[in-house]
Amino acid sequence: AGDKLREYIDKYTSKPIYGLLIGMGITVVIQSSSATTAITIGLVRAGLMTLEQATAIVMGANIGTTITSFLIGLSLDAYALYFVFIGSMLVCFARIKKYKYIGEIVLGFGVLFYGLSIMGDSLKSLKDLPQFDSIAYTMSVNPFLGLFTSTIMTAIIQSSSAAIGVVQKMYEAGGIEFIAVLPFIFGSNIGTTITGVLAALGGSLAARRTAGIHTMFNILGTIIGMTLLIPYTNLILFITEKYHVTPMMQIAVAHIIFNVVATMIFFPLLKQLCALIRKII
């Protein structure tokens, strides 16, 4: 990473709002907030980015990651194999490196949605098991169990998009109630921070602070979400029923609104959050 890269980063993330937009853009393209956070922490470790710049990008990544659940809600997985085919052709036969890279992006996009489709369809059969009915009921009565389960599940698979994609399929099949779905969304936001924590291990103080602020931001958002769980559930059901939204898109709408509102609440407090994490770490 040379002076040029430092210059570009300074230029395009000099203002927090630019960092927010760049974080959203990168995450929409690579379909992974975890990857965006890991890249950002790498740049912080290299001394190419300040904590304030990195925090804005991480906040943007939290909004960008909601695009996956939105695309799943559109049933885009039905076209996943077409993306796999086009991507494979470009990777195998393109002679120009640029087109090979585009092929890898298209292939990865297709494989992601095809994998989610297979996983979700297989998990649909769980709703016929009496034991699963008991677990689903317990999670609807005790939202904190769903929150904990989602946090652990997302930390293991290191993808909030995949965790929410699975829940979308199960909800569509009638396996779980909507009030049990929302803690899953909140928990996935916490679980996805594990990638940033792993990326910061053994790194500089600034890198550990970046991972810390990502975790703190998502935990604070979850506290607000769990506090307002019942009114938020009623709001989403009201909006989605009024506009006849499909079950999978219901979850996508809930995910988008939650992450956007959480970012709107904490973005104006960016400097204060950075000051707080400097005291903690």
Side-chain angles (χ1 to χ4, degrees), residues 18-41:
Y18 296 157
L20 184 80
L21 295 172
I22 285 169
M24 284 172 57
I26 292 171
T27 308
V28 166
V29 171
I30 64 177
Q31 298 280 308
S32 173
S33 61
S34 301
T36 303
T37 305
I39 290 166
T40 304
I41 288 170

Side-chain angles (χ1 to χ4, degrees), residues 14-246:
S14 56
K15 291 184 179 177
I17 190 66
Y18 296 157
L20 184 80
L21 295 172
I22 285 169
M24 284 172 57
I26 292 171
T27 308
V28 166
V29 171
I30 64 177
Q31 298 280 308
S32 173
S33 61
S34 301
T36 303
T37 305
I39 290 166
T40 304
I41 288 170
L43 292 170
V44 171
R45 286 177 73 160
L48 297 172
M49 190 180 285
T50 65
L51 179 61
E52 283 77 9
Q53 287 171 311
T55 303
I57 291 174
V58 165
M59 286 182 172
N62 263 32
I63 296 176
T65 194
T66 61
I67 194 69
T68 309
S69 58
F70 178 75
L71 293 172
I72 293 168
L74 292 174
S75 299
L76 202 67
D77 52 355
Y79 305 100
L81 287 176
Y82 294 107
F83 287 104
V84 172
F85 176 74
I86 293 165
S88 300
M89 291 297 102
L90 286 170
V91 169
C92 292
F93 301 112
R95 292 184 179 181
I96 301 169
K97 271 192 175 183
K98 183 182 176 181
Y99 294 129
K100 277 188 181 289
Y101 293 146
I102 292 169
E104 286 178 5
I105 292 168
V106 175
L107 175 61
F109 187 81
V111 169
L112 171 70
F113 283 93
Y114 186 60
L116 283 171
S117 174
I118 292 171
M119 196 158 46
D121 291 343
S122 301
L123 285 166
K124 278 182 181 179
S125 57
L126 282 177
K127 71 181 178 68
D128 300 322
L129 297 173
Q131 298 92 328
F132 183 76
D133 277 345
S134 173
I135 292 167
Y137 174 74
T138 306
M139 283 196 294
S140 62
V141 174
N142 184 1
F144 288 97
L145 180 63
L147 178 73
F148 177 75
T149 304
S150 177
T151 302
I152 299 300
M153 177 181 168
T154 308
I156 291 168
I157 62 176
Q158 293 199 33
S159 173
S160 58
S161 301
I164 292 170
V166 167
V167 173
Q168 280 178 289
K169 292 280 186 179
M170 290 169 73
Y171 177 62
E172 183 192 34
I176 50 177
E177 290 184 38
F178 190 73
I179 197 162
V181 167
L182 289 179
F184 254 88
I185 293 172
F186 305 151
S188 71
N189 274 10
I190 298 174
T192 195
T193 63
I194 190 67
T195 311
V197 172
L198 293 172
L201 286 177
S204 65
L205 181 61
R208 294 200 301 276
R209 283 172 174 166
T210 305
I213 207 162
H214 185 207
T215 306
M216 183 174 72
F217 167 60
N218 283 4
I219 288 172
L220 290 172
T222 297
I223 290 169
I224 293 170
M226 291 299 285
T227 305
L228 302 172
L229 180 63
I230 293 172
Y232 186 53
T233 301
N234 293 335
L235 173 67
I236 296 299
L237 289 175
F238 170 75
I239 292 169
T240 52
E241 283 171 10
K242 185 177 180 180
Y243 294 101
H244 308 291
V245 174
T246 61

